[in-house]
Amino acid sequence: DAEITQSPRHKITETGRQVTLACHQTWNHNNMFWYRQDLGHGLRLIHYSYGVQDTNKGEVSDGYSVSRSNTEDLPLTLESAASSQTSVYFCASSSGDRGTEAFFGQGTRLTVV
Amino acid sequence: SQQGEEDPQALSIQEGENATMNCSYKTSINNLQWYRQNSGRGLVHLILIRSNEREKHSGRLRVTLDTSKKSSSLLITASRAADTASYFCATLSGGSYIPTFGRGTSLIVHP
């Protein structure tokens, strides 16, 4: 069965370190998204991609970057981790049809100490 | 910024009762979707309603959409303890493929 997987599930890192969160989907979806989820804020969009070599900033993109070298993967990099980036991160994907659902990974809980 | 806002933020009911959650949004939409999130898990799509539809059913779920009021409701009938979760509405607007989420409603169903 097709799926979307995130790794690691949990990560503790120190302030200032570079961290990369992986997202891999086997749906062959063109669209991929990264969200962060914080209490009181719901899900906020960090970056998104509509296809290979396409990346775009979302609502809360400062301090984050993504790259899309193939259809399956959209890694999220925190260039210099800050305590404010402690959060739960979700990757999602959807097909190119505007009406279809998004499929979510299980999330990565990141703690920056 | 959040497009959708769910109401109430929290809802506690007994098993067998119906649960109603509401979602209001700000701009015109193509469709509105509802998702469920169990504790510690990712979101799972429940149902999608298009802007030209007024009501949709899926099992024990009933969704309504009022585009004139920019609002939607999700009704879960005959709730079960397993329905305990957070529920989010998400909108897609214009030419965007990006679901924009509200803050969610936390539902607790007591056995």
Side-chain angles (χ1 to χ4, degrees):
Chain A
D1 287 347
E3 61 181 359
I4 179 165
T5 55
Q6 294 183 233
S7 62
R9 292 294 311 278
H10 302 272
K11 174 81 175 176
I12 300 174
T13 191
E14 294 178 343
T15 302
R17 288 194 180 268
Q18 184 180 81
V19 177
T20 297
L21 309 183
C23 175
H24 179 81
Q25 53 100 1
T26 58
W27 292 99
N28 199 35
H29 284 162
N30 287 326
N31 307 327
M32 295 185 73
F33 316 97
W34 274 104
Y35 294 88
R36 60 178 288 175
Q37 185 176 32
D38 305 285
L39 276 175
H41 289 280
L43 279 88
R44 292 182 290 175
L45 183 69
I46 305 171
H47 280 283
Y48 62 99
S49 169
Y50 284 158
V52 176
Q53 302 301 332
D54 176 74
T55 61
N56 305 280
K57 294 181 179 181
E59 177 189 357
V60 290
S61 61
D62 286 349
Y64 303 94
S65 63
V66 294
S67 60
R68 187 91 181 268
S69 59
N70 57 51
T71 300
E72 296 79 19
D73 299 289
L74 187 71
L76 176 71
T77 297
L78 286 69
E79 291 133 16
S80 177
S83 58
S84 61
Q85 294 176 309
T86 293
S87 185
V88 180
Y89 292 86
F90 287 99
C91 180
S93 70
S94 70
S95 77
D97 180 338
R98 204 174 304 174
T100 59
E101 65 195 272
F103 294 83
F104 278 78
Q106 296 283 59
T108 294
R109 182 175 294 276
L110 177 69
T111 302
V112 182
V113 298
Chain B
S1 60
Q2 258 76 23
Q3 160 75 311
E5 292 293 339
E6 291 89 345
D7 171 65
Q9 290 186 7
L11 183 59
S12 180
I13 60 174
Q14 295 295 127
E15 211 167 29
E17 295 179 340
N18 294 341
T20 300
M21 289 157 269
N22 303 297
C23 171
S24 59
Y25 57 91
K26 299 172 185 173
T27 63
S28 296
I29 60 171
N30 294 324
N31 67 62
L32 186 144
Q33 304 174 20
W34 285 91
Y35 290 78
R36 184 182 75 197
Q37 183 182 33
N38 290 92
S39 181
R41 309 294 294 273
L43 279 74
V44 175
H45 182 266
L46 293 175
I47 194 167
L48 178 153
I49 187 164
R50 300 184 189 281
S51 58
N52 62 354
E53 297 175 314
R54 292 297 169 258
E55 187 170 315
K56 204 159 184 182
H57 296 257
S58 177
R60 294 184 295 112
L61 304 180
R62 172 178 170 255
V63 170
T64 62
L65 179 65
D66 186 334
T67 54
S68 67
K69 294 181 179 178
K70 293 186 170 60
S71 67
S72 173
S73 67
L74 171 67
L75 169 67
I76 304 174
T77 60
S79 296
R80 305 166 182 168
D83 295 326
T84 293
S86 292
Y87 292 82
F88 294 85
C89 67
T91 56
L92 270 75
S93 305
S96 173
Y97 297 146
I98 306 165
T100 302
F101 289 87
R103 291 183 172 87
T105 292
S106 174
L107 172 66
I108 297 175
V109 181
H110 299 280

